[in-house]
Amino acid sequence: MSDNTRINDSGIEIKKLYTEAQIEAEQPGVFPFTRGVHEGMYCDKPWTIRQYAGFSTAEASNERYHFLLNQGVTGLSVAFDLPTQIGYDSDDVMAAGEVGKVGVAIDSIEDMDRLFKGIPLENVSTSMTINASAFILLAFYIALAKRQGADIKKIAGTIQNDILKEYAARGTFIYPPKVSMRLITDIFEFCSKEVPKWNTISISGYHIREAGSTAVQELAFTLSNGKAYLKAAIEKGLDINVFAKRLSFFFNAHNNLFEEVAKFRAARRMWAKMTQELGATNIEAQKLRFHTQTGGSTLTAQQPMNNIVRVAVQTLAATMGGTQSLHTNGFDEALSLPTEAAASIALRTQQIIMEESGICDTVDPWAGSYYIETLTNEVEAAANKLIDRIDAMGGAVSAIEQGFIQEQIASASYTFQKALERNEKIIVGVNKYVSKETSKTPIMKIDAAIEKQQVDRLKLFKQNRDQAKVDACLELIQIKAMTTENLMPFVIDAVENHCTLGEIAHALRKVWGEYVG
C-alpha cells in the first residue's frame, strides 16, 4: 500500500486526494433515488425522532414514553424483553431471570393496554423491534387500537419482522425458515388490505452490523434478505407495486462518517434497481425508506462520556445519508439500559443537529463531492459482488442455511478485533488515550421483584378469562397453520379472546416445531 492510500474496514482503498468522480445527473425523489426518496427531503419535513425504549413493566415503559413525548419525540419505538421476543410468557420456566431485563414484558392484550395508556394509537407512529413473535405483537397492537375505537386503516407504525437476519446474526428465532417466511407474507397480505399505513417489515442491517459485519456486508446481506422477502411475496401472488410500498429498512450508523453516508446513498440506488428488476413500476414501490440507530457496538464502557461524541458523529452520518427516522443511543448503554438523563442527552443530540446545524436547509449536501460520489460507487460495486455470490447459492435463505453469511460476518468481526489488538484500529479510551480512572456513571438497574409482579399479574389474567374460548382459538390456529389460509385474522381473534403470547407461540410450535440452527 502506498503512502497515498488507506484501506477502510470494508476493504475499499481510500485515496489521499480525490480529483474526479463519475457523477450522475440525478435529482432527489427521482429513480434511482441516490440523493433521497423525496424531492424536498428535510427542507419539507425533517426526519422522525424516534427514541427506542422499553424495560421492566408496561407501566414503567409507559412512563418513559410519556416523558419522551413531552420532550419532543415524534415517534415511539418499543423494546421487548427476551422471553417476549422468542415467544415465552413471563411465567414460563424458560423466561426465568429474563423478565423485563432488556425490554418490556408483554404477555397479553392487557399488558399492551398498560404499555400505551394515555397514548391514542391513531395519533402516534409506533415502531416495534420484534421478529419471531412479530405477528402476535402486531395482533395485540391492532386489537388495542380497536379497543380504543381507532380506525385501524389509520394506525401507522412498523414491525421489524425480519426473521432472516435472526438466523444469520442475532438468534431470536422460533420456527424453521420456510414457515417463518409464511408468517411474514401473511402479514404483508393482511396489512395491505386491512392496515394499509403499517410498514410490515423493517429489513434490518442493524443487527448484522452489531454482529461484526463491515458496512459493505451490512448493505449486501440486508438487501439480499430484502430480495428474498420480495420473491416470497410475489410467489404468494401479492402485487409488488402494492406490498413493496410498505417495506422499510433499518440500518446502523457507525463512526466512519463518509463510508456511512456512501452506504446509505448506495442502498437507495441498489434497492430501486432491485425492485425494478423484479417488476416494480410504481416509484413508491421502488423507494428504500429507512430508520437508523446509532451503533450500539461502537459504545465503550471505558470513558463513557466519549460516547456522546460518537453518537453525534453517527447522527450526522445518518441524516446526511437521508434517513427517514433516527434513534440515538444513550452514552451509558455499554453499562446498562439508558438512564433518563442519558436518554435526554441522546434526544437533544438529534434536536440540536436538526435545529442548529443547517442540515435541513438543503438536500443531499454531499452530492458532487469527488470522494463521496466515488465511495458511493465503490460501496455499491463491492456490495453487488456479495449479492451475486448469494444469488448463485440460491438466495439469502439458502446462503443462511449453508452458513455463508454467518461465516462472512464472523470473519469480519475477527479481522476487526485483531486489527484493534495490533493498534491498527484505534478506539479512543480503549487502546489509545487510556485513563486509569474508573467510571462513576450512574447506571439503571431493573428490580428483580418485577418478575414476580408480572407473573402474579399473568396468573390473575388467566384465572379471569373464558378458558373454553381460549382453547377453541388456539385449536383453530393450529388447524389453519396446516393450510395456506392467512393466519392473522385468527391470531387477532385469539388475543381479543385473551390468549397469551406464549400460548399462541406454543400452539404453532406443536405444528411447525422449533429451529435449532
Side-chain angles (χ1 to χ4, degrees), residues 239-259:
D239 183 352
I240 191 172
N241 285 309
V242 176
F243 76 82
K245 294 178 185 178
R246 305 317 305 179
L247 273 58
S248 64
F249 285 79
F250 174 27
F251 286 116
N252 209 314
H254 273 218
N255 291 329
N256 189 320
L257 176 68
F258 306 103
E259 185 179 30

Side-chain angles (χ1 to χ4, degrees), residues 182 472-485 487 490 507-508 511-512:
R182 178 257 178 96
C473 287
L474 296 174
E475 183 180 1
L476 186 57
I477 285 173
Q478 290 180 310
I479 292 169
K480 297 300 181 182
M482 292 183 281
T483 72
T484 58
E485 199 166 347
L487 285 178
F490 305 102
L508 290 173
V511 179
W512 292 336

Side-chain angles (χ1 to χ4, degrees), residues 284-299:
E284 295 302 317
Q286 297 168 343
K287 292 179 179 180
L288 183 147
R289 303 167 183 85
F290 68 100
H291 169 73
T292 308
Q293 182 174 341
T294 56
S297 62
T298 69
L299 304 180

